[in-house]
Amino acid sequence: MRRSKTEAMAMNDYVIVGAGSAGCVLANRLSEDPNVNVLLVEAGGPDTNPLIHMPVAWTALFRSDQDWDHSSGYEPHCNNRRIFLPRGKVLGGSSSLNAMIYIRGNPLDYDQWRDLGCSGWGWDEMLPYFKRAEDNERGQSELHGVGGPLPVSDGRSRNTIAQAFIDAAIACGLAPNDDFNGGEQDGVGWYQVTQRNGVRASTAAAYLRPVMSRPNLHVETHVQVLKLLFEGTRAVGVLGARLGEQIEFRASTEVIVSCGACNSPQLLMLSGIGRPDELAALQIPPVAEVPGVGLNLIDHPVSGVVYLSHRAGSLFGALNEQNMAQFQTQGRGPLTSNAAEAGGFVRTCEGLDAPDVQFHLVPALFIQEGGIGTRTGTWLYRRCQRHQAA
C-alpha cells in the first residue's frame, strides 16, 4: 500500500523499519489496537514473485532482486574467503527466502538466557508463545498449538533419498525422532516446515497479508531507510529514499528497527549509534555511544559433504511439467520440497547437556553457494507464470 508524500509524512504512533520475520509480526500485533497508527517500511518490494511461494525454488532467489546479497569480510578461518550471506529484501524478509524448517531452540538455550539475566526468556516462559504462534496440522498437544497465525506442516514431498538417509542413520545407532520440537531434540527424522498446503508460509503470508485491510496499518515498499531521525537522543522518525526522492516518516510513540542481524546494526551506525572512533572515521556525527553495535555476530558454520548416486530421486530431476501441474493443482509433490527435508541432531561427545551438531540431508547437488542457477530459476519462473495464467 503506497500513499502520497503528504500522507506518508503524517504522524504515526509506530514506525517499523524492515518487513521481515520480526517486522511483519510487529505490524500485525501493534495494529490490533485500532487506536494506534502503524507504519511498516520495507526496502524491497511486495512478495509477488511466484518463486517465493514455491518451496523448492528458494535458492533461485539468491542474488536476485529479493536478496540483499551480502558477503562477509575475508574470513581467516575459512581460508580467507568471503562468505555469501543471503538476506531477504522483500515483504517477509528472509522468511521469504529461507528453507522453511520449523525448529525452536533447545530448551536449555532459553534457560541459559534466563540465567544470564534475561528475565522472562526461560523455556517455561517461552513455550506458551511458541504454542500461541503455531497452527500445527498435527493438532494441539502439551508442546504444540493450533489456531495461531503461523502454519506448521509435515512436508509433502517425502523424497526417497531423504528416507534412505533416515534409515541409514537409524541403522548406525541414531535414535528416530518424529518431532524435533517435541520432548527430545536428539535423533533423526523428517523436519516440519512453515508451509500451508505445500506453499511457503512466510511472515508476510502468515502475519501481514491477513491484516493488510486494517485502516490503521500502512505498508510502504521500495523505501530504503537511510537513517533514524532524532530530537536530542530520542528517535522521532526515519529518513528514507524511494526512486531518488527523500521522504520522512515520523513516529509519536516509537521507532522500531527490525532490519535483521546484518542491516539493523548498519542502520544504527548510519544514524550515529555505535563506537565514537568508528563513527568518526566514517564521518558520521555521534548520537549515542553503544560499544556493542555491529559486534559479536555468530552465524552457524556449515560443512557440506557431497555424494554422487545413481539412485533416482534427485530434486534436479523433479523440474518438469508434470510436477509443476501437481504443485499448482494439489499442493503436493517434489516442488513442495524445502530441499532439506530430513536431518537430525546429535551430541559429538559424552557429557553434553544438549546436541551440538545438526544434520541436513539435501537430495541435490548444491552449486554456486547453494543457488540452483539462473537458467533453472528462469525455467521455474516462466512455468509458474504459465500455470497461473492457465
Side-chain angles (χ1 to χ4, degrees), residues 258-348:
S258 59
C259 306
C262 296
N263 287 22
S264 287
Q266 179 200 31
L267 179 58
L268 293 175
M269 293 171 69
L270 289 171
S271 305
I273 301 173
R275 294 170 295 285
D277 291 346
E278 189 170 25
L279 296 176
L282 298 169
Q283 299 183 359
I284 298 173
V287 172
E289 181 177 353
V290 183
V293 172
L295 298 179
N296 301 317
L297 172 64
I298 300 176
D299 205 350
H300 50 79
V302 176
S303 179
V305 180
V306 179
Y307 292 92
L308 297 178
S309 173
H310 297 294
R311 184 168 181 169
S314 169
L315 289 176
F316 285 123
L319 305 178
N320 57 55
E321 297 289 354
Q322 179 181 352
N323 289 335
M324 177 66 74
Q326 185 182 23
F327 170 72
Q328 294 282 354
T329 60
Q330 303 174 30
R332 296 188 177 277
L335 301 191
T336 69
S337 174
N338 68 319
E341 297 180 30
F345 292 84
V346 300
R347 310 183 196 201
T348 57

Coordinates of all heavy atoms in Angstrom, one line a residue, residues 258-348:
S258 N 13.9 -3.2 12.9 CA 13.8 -4.7 12.7 C 14.3 -5.1 11.4 O 13.6 -5.7 10.6 CB 12.3 -5.2 12.9 OG 11.5 -4.6 12.0
C259 N 15.5 -4.7 11.1 CA 16.2 -4.9 9.8 C 17.0 -6.2 9.7 O 17.8 -6.4 8.7 CB 17.0 -3.7 9.4 SG 16.2 -2.2 9.5
G260 N 17.0 -7.0 10.7 CA 17.7 -8.3 10.7 C 19.1 -8.1 11.3 O 19.5 -7.0 11.7
A261 N 19.8 -9.2 11.4 CA 21.1 -9.3 12.1 C 22.2 -8.5 11.5 O 23.1 -8.0 12.1 CB 21.5 -10.7 12.3
C262 N 22.1 -8.3 10.1 CA 23.1 -7.6 9.4 C 22.7 -6.1 9.2 O 23.5 -5.2 9.5 CB 23.3 -8.2 8.0 SG 23.9 -9.9 8.0
N263 N 21.5 -5.8 8.8 CA 21.1 -4.5 8.5 C 20.7 -3.6 9.7 O 20.8 -2.4 9.6 CB 20.0 -4.5 7.4 CG 20.5 -4.9 6.1 OD1 21.5 -5.6 6.0 ND2 19.8 -4.6 5.0
S264 N 20.3 -4.2 10.8 CA 19.9 -3.4 11.9 C 21.1 -2.7 12.5 O 21.1 -1.5 12.7 CB 19.3 -4.3 13.0 OG 18.0 -4.7 12.6
P265 N 22.3 -3.4 12.8 CA 23.4 -2.6 13.3 C 23.9 -1.6 12.3 O 24.4 -0.5 12.6 CB 24.5 -3.7 13.6 CG 24.0 -4.9 12.9 CD 22.5 -4.8 12.8
Q266 N 23.8 -1.9 11.0 CA 24.2 -0.9 9.9 C 23.4 0.3 10.0 O 24.0 1.5 10.0 CB 24.1 -1.5 8.5 CG 24.5 -0.6 7.4 CD 24.0 -0.9 6.1 OE1 22.9 -1.5 6.0 NE2 24.7 -0.6 5.0
L267 N 22.1 0.2 10.2 CA 21.3 1.4 10.2 C 21.5 2.2 11.5 O 21.6 3.4 11.5 CB 19.8 1.0 10.2 CG 18.8 2.1 10.3 CD1 19.0 3.2 9.2 CD2 17.3 1.6 10.2
L268 N 21.7 1.5 12.6 CA 22.1 2.2 13.9 C 23.4 3.0 13.7 O 23.4 4.1 14.2 CB 22.2 1.2 15.0 CG 20.9 0.5 15.4 CD1 21.2 -0.6 16.5 CD2 19.9 1.4 15.9
M269 N 24.4 2.4 13.1 CA 25.6 3.1 12.9 C 25.5 4.3 12.0 O 26.0 5.3 12.2 CB 26.7 2.1 12.5 CG 27.1 1.0 13.5 SD 28.1 -0.3 12.9 CE 29.7 0.7 12.6
L270 N 24.7 4.1 10.9 CA 24.5 5.2 10.0 C 23.8 6.3 10.7 O 23.9 7.5 10.3 CB 23.7 4.7 8.8 CG 24.4 3.8 7.8 CD1 23.4 3.3 6.8 CD2 25.5 4.6 7.1
S271 N 23.1 6.0 11.8 CA 22.3 7.0 12.5 C 23.1 7.6 13.7 O 22.5 8.4 14.4 CB 21.0 6.4 13.0 OG 20.3 5.7 12.0
G272 N 24.3 7.2 13.8 CA 25.1 7.8 14.9 C 25.1 7.0 16.2 O 25.5 7.6 17.2
I273 N 24.7 5.8 16.1 CA 24.7 4.9 17.3 C 25.8 3.9 17.2 O 25.7 3.0 16.3 CB 23.3 4.3 17.5 CG1 22.2 5.4 17.7 CG2 23.3 3.4 18.8 CD1 20.8 4.9 17.7
G274 N 26.8 3.9 18.1 CA 27.8 2.9 18.0 C 29.1 3.4 18.7 O 29.0 4.1 19.7
R275 N 30.2 3.0 18.2 CA 31.5 3.4 18.8 C 32.0 4.7 18.2 O 32.2 4.8 17.0 CB 32.5 2.2 18.6 CG 32.2 0.9 19.3 CD 33.0 -0.2 18.9 NE 32.8 -0.6 17.5 CZ 31.8 -1.2 17.0 NH1 30.8 -1.6 17.8 NH2 31.7 -1.5 15.7
P276 N 32.3 5.7 19.1 CA 32.6 7.0 18.6 C 33.8 7.0 17.6 O 33.8 7.7 16.6 CB 32.9 7.8 19.9 CG 32.1 7.1 20.9 CD 32.1 5.7 20.5
D277 N 34.8 6.3 17.9 CA 36.0 6.3 17.0 C 35.7 5.8 15.6 O 36.1 6.3 14.6 CB 37.1 5.4 17.6 CG 37.7 6.1 18.8 OD1 37.5 7.3 19.1 OD2 38.4 5.3 19.6
E278 N 34.9 4.7 15.6 CA 34.5 4.1 14.3 C 33.5 5.1 13.5 O 33.7 5.3 12.3 CB 33.8 2.8 14.5 CG 33.6 2.0 13.2 CD 33.1 0.6 13.4 OE1 32.6 0.3 14.5 OE2 33.4 -0.3 12.6
L279 N 32.6 5.7 14.2 CA 31.7 6.7 13.6 C 32.5 7.9 13.1 O 32.2 8.4 12.0 CB 30.6 7.1 14.6 CG 29.7 6.0 15.1 CD1 28.7 6.6 16.1 CD2 28.9 5.4 13.9
A280 N 33.5 8.3 13.8 CA 34.2 9.5 13.4 C 35.0 9.2 12.1 O 35.1 10.0 11.2 CB 35.2 9.9 14.5
A281 N 35.6 7.9 12.0 CA 36.3 7.5 10.8 C 35.4 7.5 9.6 O 35.8 7.7 8.4 CB 36.9 6.2 11.0
L282 N 34.1 7.3 9.8 CA 33.1 7.3 8.7 C 32.4 8.6 8.5 O 31.5 8.7 7.7 CB 32.1 6.2 9.0 CG 32.6 4.7 9.1 CD1 31.5 3.8 9.6 CD2 33.1 4.3 7.7
Q283 N 32.9 9.6 9.3 CA 32.3 11.0 9.3 C 30.8 11.0 9.6 O 30.0 11.7 8.9 CB 32.6 11.6 7.9 CG 34.1 11.8 7.6 CD 34.3 12.5 6.3 OE1 33.4 12.8 5.6 NE2 35.6 12.6 5.9
I284 N 30.4 10.2 10.5 CA 29.0 10.1 11.0 C 28.9 10.8 12.4 O 29.6 10.4 13.3 CB 28.5 8.6 11.1 CG1 28.6 8.0 9.7 CG2 27.1 8.6 11.7 CD1 28.3 6.5 9.8
P285 N 28.2 11.9 12.5 CA 28.0 12.5 13.8 C 27.5 11.6 14.8 O 26.4 10.9 14.6 CB 27.1 13.7 13.5 CG 27.1 13.9 12.0 CD 27.4 12.5 11.4
P286 N 28.1 11.5 16.0 CA 27.6 10.5 17.0 C 26.4 11.1 17.7 O 26.3 12.3 18.0 CB 28.8 10.4 18.0 CG 29.5 11.7 17.8 CD 29.4 12.1 16.4
V287 N 25.5 10.2 18.0 CA 24.3 10.5 18.8 C 24.3 9.8 20.2 O 24.0 10.4 21.2 CB 23.0 10.1 18.1 CG1 21.8 10.2 19.0 CG2 22.8 10.9 16.8
A288 N 24.7 8.5 20.2 CA 24.8 7.8 21.4 C 26.0 6.8 21.3 O 26.1 6.1 20.3 CB 23.5 7.1 21.7
E289 N 26.8 6.6 22.4 CA 27.8 5.6 22.4 C 27.3 4.3 22.9 O 26.9 4.2 24.0 CB 29.0 6.1 23.3 CG 30.1 5.1 23.3 CD 31.3 5.6 24.2 OE1 31.2 6.8 24.7 OE2 32.2 4.8 24.4
V290 N 27.3 3.3 21.9 CA 26.8 2.0 22.3 C 27.9 1.0 21.7 O 27.9 0.7 20.5 CB 25.5 1.7 21.6 CG1 25.0 0.3 22.0 CG2 24.4 2.7 22.0
P291 N 28.8 0.6 22.6 CA 30.0 -0.1 22.1 C 29.7 -1.4 21.4 O 30.5 -1.9 20.5 CB 30.8 -0.4 23.4 CG 30.4 0.7 24.3 CD 28.9 0.9 24.0
G292 N 28.6 -2.1 21.7 CA 28.3 -3.4 21.2 C 27.7 -3.5 19.8 O 27.6 -4.5 19.2
V293 N 27.3 -2.3 19.2 CA 26.6 -2.3 17.9 C 27.5 -2.9 16.8 O 28.7 -2.4 16.7 CB 26.1 -0.9 17.6 CG1 25.6 -0.9 16.1 CG2 25.0 -0.5 18.5
G294 N 27.1 -3.9 16.1 CA 27.8 -4.4 15.0 C 28.9 -5.4 15.4 O 29.6 -5.9 14.5
L295 N 28.9 -5.8 16.6 CA 29.9 -6.8 17.1 C 29.3 -8.1 17.5 O 28.1 -8.1 17.8 CB 30.7 -6.2 18.3 CG 31.6 -5.0 18.0 CD1 32.3 -4.5 19.3 CD2 32.6 -5.2 16.9
N296 N 30.1 -9.1 17.5 CA 29.7 -10.4 18.2 C 28.6 -11.2 17.4 O 28.0 -12.0 18.0 CB 29.3 -10.2 19.6 CG 30.4 -9.6 20.4 OD1 31.6 -10.0 20.3 ND2 30.1 -8.6 21.3
L297 N 28.5 -10.9 16.1 CA 27.6 -11.8 15.3 C 28.2 -13.1 15.2 O 29.3 -13.3 14.7 CB 27.3 -11.2 14.0 CG 26.5 -12.0 13.0 CD1 25.1 -12.3 13.5 CD2 26.5 -11.4 11.6
I298 N 27.4 -14.2 15.5 CA 27.9 -15.5 15.4 C 26.9 -16.3 14.5 O 25.7 -16.4 14.9 CB 28.0 -16.2 16.8 CG1 29.0 -15.5 17.7 CG2 28.5 -17.7 16.6 CD1 29.1 -16.1 19.1
D299 N 27.3 -16.7 13.3 CA 26.4 -17.5 12.5 C 26.8 -18.9 12.6 O 27.9 -19.2 13.1 CB 26.6 -17.0 11.0 CG 25.4 -17.3 10.2 OD1 24.5 -18.0 10.7 OD2 25.3 -16.8 9.0
H300 N 26.0 -19.8 12.1 CA 26.3 -21.2 12.3 C 27.1 -21.7 11.1 O 26.7 -21.5 9.9 CB 25.0 -22.1 12.4 CG 24.0 -21.8 11.4 ND1 24.0 -22.3 10.1 CD2 22.8 -21.0 11.5 CE1 22.9 -21.9 9.5 NE2 22.2 -21.1 10.3
P301 N 28.3 -22.3 11.3 CA 29.1 -22.8 10.2 C 28.4 -24.0 9.6 O 27.8 -24.8 10.3 CB 30.4 -23.1 10.9 CG 30.1 -23.4 12.3 CD 28.9 -22.5 12.6
V302 N 28.7 -24.2 8.3 CA 28.1 -25.4 7.6 C 29.3 -26.0 6.9 O 30.1 -25.4 6.2 CB 27.1 -25.0 6.6 CG1 26.6 -26.2 5.8 CG2 25.9 -24.3 7.3
S303 N 29.4 -27.3 7.0 CA 30.4 -28.1 6.3 C 29.6 -29.1 5.4 O 29.0 -30.0 5.9 CB 31.3 -28.8 7.2 OG 32.3 -29.6 6.5
G304 N 29.7 -29.0 4.1 CA 29.0 -29.8 3.2 C 29.8 -31.1 2.8 O 31.0 -31.0 2.5
V305 N 29.1 -32.2 2.7 CA 29.7 -33.4 2.2 C 28.8 -33.9 1.0 O 27.6 -34.0 1.2 CB 29.7 -34.5 3.2 CG1 30.3 -35.8 2.7 CG2 30.5 -34.0 4.5
V306 N 29.4 -34.1 -0.2 CA 28.6 -34.3 -1.4 C 28.9 -35.8 -1.8 O 30.1 -36.2 -1.9 CB 29.0 -33.4 -2.5 CG1 28.2 -33.7 -3.8 CG2 28.7 -31.9 -2.1
Y307 N 27.8 -36.5 -2.1 CA 28.0 -37.9 -2.7 C 27.2 -37.9 -4.0 O 26.1 -37.3 -4.2 CB 27.3 -38.9 -1.7 CG 28.1 -39.1 -0.4 CD1 27.8 -38.3 0.7 CD2 29.1 -40.0 -0.3 CE1 28.4 -38.4 1.9 CE2 29.8 -40.1 0.9 CZ 29.5 -39.4 2.0 OH 30.1 -39.5 3.2
L308 N 27.8 -38.7 -4.9 CA 27.1 -38.9 -6.2 C 26.4 -40.3 -6.1 O 26.9 -41.2 -5.5 CB 28.1 -39.0 -7.4 CG 28.8 -37.7 -7.7 CD1 29.8 -37.9 -8.8 CD2 27.9 -36.6 -8.0
S309 N 25.2 -40.3 -6.6 CA 24.4 -41.5 -6.5 C 23.6 -41.8 -7.8 O 23.2 -40.9 -8.5 CB 23.3 -41.4 -5.4 OG 22.5 -42.5 -5.4
H310 N 23.5 -43.1 -8.2 CA 22.7 -43.5 -9.3 C 21.3 -43.7 -9.0 O 20.4 -44.0 -9.9 CB 23.3 -44.7 -10.0 CG 24.7 -44.6 -10.5 ND1 25.0 -43.7 -11.6 CD2 25.9 -45.1 -10.1 CE1 26.3 -43.8 -11.8 NE2 26.8 -44.6 -10.9
R311 N 20.9 -43.5 -7.7 CA 19.6 -43.8 -7.3 C 18.7 -42.6 -7.7 O 19.0 -41.5 -7.6 CB 19.5 -43.9 -5.7 CG 18.1 -44.3 -5.2 CD 18.2 -44.7 -3.7 NE 16.9 -45.0 -3.2 CZ 16.7 -45.6 -2.0 NH1 17.8 -46.0 -1.3 NH2 15.5 -45.9 -1.6
A312 N 17.5 -42.9 -8.2 CA 16.5 -41.9 -8.6 C 16.1 -41.1 -7.4 O 16.0 -41.6 -6.2 CB 15.3 -42.5 -9.3
G313 N 15.7 -39.9 -7.6 CA 15.1 -39.1 -6.5 C 15.7 -37.7 -6.4 O 15.2 -36.9 -5.6
S314 N 16.7 -37.4 -7.2 CA 17.3 -36.0 -7.1 C 16.3 -35.0 -7.4 O 15.5 -35.1 -8.3 CB 18.5 -35.9 -8.0 OG 18.9 -34.5 -8.1
L315 N 16.3 -33.9 -6.7 CA 15.4 -32.8 -6.9 C 15.6 -32.1 -8.3 O 14.7 -31.5 -8.9 CB 15.5 -31.7 -5.9 CG 14.9 -32.1 -4.5 CD1 15.2 -31.0 -3.5 CD2 13.4 -32.4 -4.6
F316 N 16.8 -32.3 -8.8 CA 17.0 -31.7 -10.2 C 16.2 -32.4 -11.2 O 15.8 -31.9 -12.2 CB 18.5 -31.8 -10.5 CG 19.4 -30.8 -9.8 CD1 20.4 -31.1 -9.0 CD2 19.0 -29.4 -9.9 CE1 21.2 -30.2 -8.4 CE2 19.8 -28.4 -9.3 CZ 20.9 -28.8 -8.5
G317 N 15.9 -33.7 -11.0 CA 15.1 -34.4 -11.9 C 13.6 -34.1 -11.8 O 12.8 -34.6 -12.5
A318 N 13.3 -33.3 -10.7 CA 11.9 -33.0 -10.4 C 11.3 -31.8 -11.2 O 10.1 -31.6 -11.1 CB 11.7 -32.8 -8.9
L319 N 12.2 -31.1 -11.9 CA 11.7 -29.9 -12.5 C 11.2 -30.2 -13.9 O 11.8 -30.1 -14.9 CB 12.9 -28.9 -12.6 CG 13.6 -28.6 -11.3 CD1 14.8 -27.7 -11.5 CD2 12.7 -28.0 -10.3
N320 N 9.9 -30.6 -13.9 CA 9.2 -30.9 -15.1 C 7.8 -30.5 -15.1 O 7.2 -30.1 -14.0 CB 9.3 -32.5 -15.4 CG 8.8 -33.3 -14.3 OD1 7.6 -33.2 -13.9 ND2 9.6 -34.2 -13.8
E321 N 7.1 -30.6 -16.2 CA 5.7 -30.0 -16.3 C 4.7 -30.8 -15.4 O 3.8 -30.3 -14.9 CB 5.3 -30.1 -17.8 CG 6.1 -29.2 -18.7 CD 5.8 -27.7 -18.4 OE1 4.9 -27.4 -17.6 OE2 6.5 -26.8 -19.0
Q322 N 5.0 -32.2 -15.3 CA 4.1 -33.0 -14.5 C 4.1 -32.6 -13.1 O 3.0 -32.4 -12.4 CB 4.4 -34.5 -14.7 CG 3.6 -35.4 -13.8 CD 4.0 -36.8 -14.0 OE1 4.9 -37.2 -14.8 NE2 3.4 -37.7 -13.2
N323 N 5.3 -32.4 -12.5 CA 5.4 -32.0 -11.1 C 4.9 -30.6 -10.9 O 4.4 -30.2 -9.9 CB 6.8 -32.2 -10.7 CG 7.2 -33.6 -10.5 OD1 6.4 -34.5 -10.3 ND2 8.5 -33.9 -10.6
M324 N 5.1 -29.7 -11.9 CA 4.6 -28.3 -11.8 C 3.1 -28.4 -11.7 O 2.5 -27.6 -10.9 CB 5.0 -27.5 -13.0 CG 4.5 -26.1 -13.1 SD 5.1 -25.1 -11.7 CE 6.8 -24.8 -12.3
A325 N 2.4 -29.2 -12.6 CA 1.0 -29.2 -12.5 C 0.5 -29.8 -11.2 O -0.5 -29.3 -10.6 CB 0.5 -30.1 -13.7
Q326 N 1.2 -30.8 -10.6 CA 0.8 -31.4 -9.3 C 0.9 -30.3 -8.2 O 0.1 -30.2 -7.4 CB 1.7 -32.6 -9.0 CG 1.3 -33.3 -7.7 CD 2.2 -34.5 -7.4 OE1 3.4 -34.5 -7.8 NE2 1.7 -35.4 -6.6
F327 N 2.0 -29.5 -8.3 CA 2.2 -28.5 -7.3 C 1.0 -27.4 -7.4 O 0.4 -27.0 -6.4 CB 3.5 -27.8 -7.5 CG 3.7 -26.5 -6.7 CD1 3.9 -26.6 -5.3 CD2 3.7 -25.3 -7.3 CE1 4.0 -25.5 -4.6 CE2 3.8 -24.1 -6.5 CZ 4.0 -24.2 -5.2
Q328 N 0.7 -27.0 -8.6 CA -0.3 -26.0 -8.8 C -1.7 -26.4 -8.5 O -2.5 -25.7 -7.9 CB -0.2 -25.5 -10.3 CG 1.0 -24.8 -10.7 CD 1.1 -23.4 -10.2 OE1 0.2 -22.9 -9.6 NE2 2.2 -22.7 -10.4
T329 N -2.0 -27.7 -8.7 CA -3.4 -28.2 -8.5 C -3.6 -28.8 -7.2 O -4.7 -28.8 -6.7 CB -3.8 -29.1 -9.7 OG1 -2.9 -30.3 -9.7 CG2 -3.7 -28.4 -11.0
Q330 N -2.6 -29.5 -6.6 CA -2.7 -30.3 -5.4 C -1.9 -29.8 -4.2 O -2.2 -30.2 -3.1 CB -2.4 -31.8 -5.7 CG -3.2 -32.4 -6.8 CD -2.7 -33.8 -7.1 OE1 -2.2 -34.5 -6.2 NE2 -2.8 -34.2 -8.4
G331 N -0.9 -28.9 -4.5 CA 0.0 -28.5 -3.4 C 0.8 -29.7 -2.9 O 1.1 -29.8 -1.7
R332 N 1.2 -30.6 -3.8 CA 2.0 -31.8 -3.4 C 3.1 -32.0 -4.4 O 3.1 -31.4 -5.4 CB 1.1 -33.0 -3.3 CG 0.0 -32.9 -2.2 CD -0.7 -34.2 -2.0 NE -1.7 -34.1 -0.8 CZ -1.4 -34.2 0.4 NH1 -0.1 -34.5 0.8 NH2 -2.3 -34.1 1.4
G333 N 3.9 -33.0 -4.0 CA 5.0 -33.4 -4.9 C 6.3 -32.8 -4.7 O 6.5 -32.0 -3.8
P334 N 7.3 -33.1 -5.5 CA 8.7 -32.6 -5.3 C 8.8 -31.1 -5.3 O 9.8 -30.6 -4.6 CB 9.4 -33.2 -6.5 CG 8.6 -34.4 -7.0 CD 7.2 -34.0 -6.7
L335 N 8.0 -30.3 -5.9 CA 8.1 -28.9 -5.9 C 7.7 -28.2 -4.6 O 7.9 -27.1 -4.4 CB 7.4 -28.3 -7.1 CG 7.8 -28.8 -8.5 CD1 7.2 -27.9 -9.6 CD2 9.3 -28.8 -8.6
T336 N 7.1 -29.0 -3.7 CA 6.8 -28.6 -2.4 C 8.0 -28.8 -1.4 O 8.0 -28.4 -0.3 CB 5.6 -29.3 -1.8 OG1 5.9 -30.6 -1.5 CG2 4.4 -29.1 -2.7
S337 N 9.0 -29.5 -2.0 CA 10.2 -29.8 -1.1 C 10.9 -28.5 -0.7 O 11.1 -27.6 -1.5 CB 11.2 -30.7 -1.9 OG 12.3 -30.9 -1.1
N338 N 11.4 -28.5 0.6 CA 12.2 -27.4 1.0 C 13.7 -27.8 0.9 O 14.6 -27.1 1.5 CB 11.9 -27.1 2.5 CG 12.3 -28.3 3.4 OD1 12.1 -29.4 3.1 ND2 12.9 -27.9 4.6
A339 N 14.0 -28.8 0.1 CA 15.3 -29.4 -0.1 C 15.8 -30.1 1.1 O 16.1 -31.3 1.0 CB 16.3 -28.3 -0.6
A340 N 16.0 -29.4 2.2 CA 16.4 -30.1 3.5 C 15.3 -30.7 4.2 O 14.8 -30.3 5.2 CB 17.2 -29.1 4.4
E341 N 14.7 -31.8 3.6 CA 13.5 -32.4 4.1 C 13.8 -33.2 5.4 O 12.9 -33.3 6.3 CB 12.9 -33.4 3.1 CG 12.4 -32.7 1.8 CD 11.9 -33.7 0.8 OE1 11.3 -34.7 1.3 OE2 11.9 -33.4 -0.4
A342 N 14.9 -33.7 5.5 CA 15.3 -34.6 6.7 C 16.6 -34.2 7.3 O 17.4 -33.5 6.7 CB 15.4 -36.1 6.2
G343 N 16.8 -34.6 8.5 CA 18.0 -34.2 9.2 C 18.1 -34.8 10.6 O 17.4 -35.8 10.9
G344 N 18.8 -34.2 11.5 CA 18.9 -34.7 12.8 C 19.8 -33.9 13.7 O 20.5 -33.0 13.2
F345 N 19.8 -34.2 15.0 CA 20.6 -33.6 16.0 C 21.4 -34.6 16.8 O 20.8 -35.6 17.2 CB 19.7 -32.8 17.0 CG 19.1 -31.6 16.3 CD1 17.9 -31.7 15.6 CD2 19.6 -30.3 16.4 CE1 17.3 -30.6 15.1 CE2 19.0 -29.2 15.9 CZ 17.8 -29.3 15.2
V346 N 22.7 -34.4 17.0 CA 23.5 -35.4 17.7 C 24.4 -34.7 18.6 O 24.7 -33.5 18.5 CB 24.3 -36.3 16.7 CG1 23.4 -37.0 15.8 CG2 25.3 -35.4 15.9
R347 N 24.9 -35.4 19.6 CA 26.0 -34.9 20.5 C 27.3 -35.6 20.1 O 27.3 -36.8 20.0 CB 25.6 -35.3 22.0 CG 24.2 -34.8 22.3 CD 23.8 -35.1 23.8 NE 22.4 -35.0 23.9 CZ 21.7 -34.7 25.1 NH1 22.5 -34.6 26.2 NH2 20.4 -34.7 25.2
T348 N 28.3 -34.8 19.9 CA 29.5 -35.3 19.4 C 30.4 -36.0 20.5 O 31.4 -36.6 20.1 CB 30.3 -34.2 18.7 OG1 30.6 -33.1 19.7 CG2 29.6 -33.7 17.5

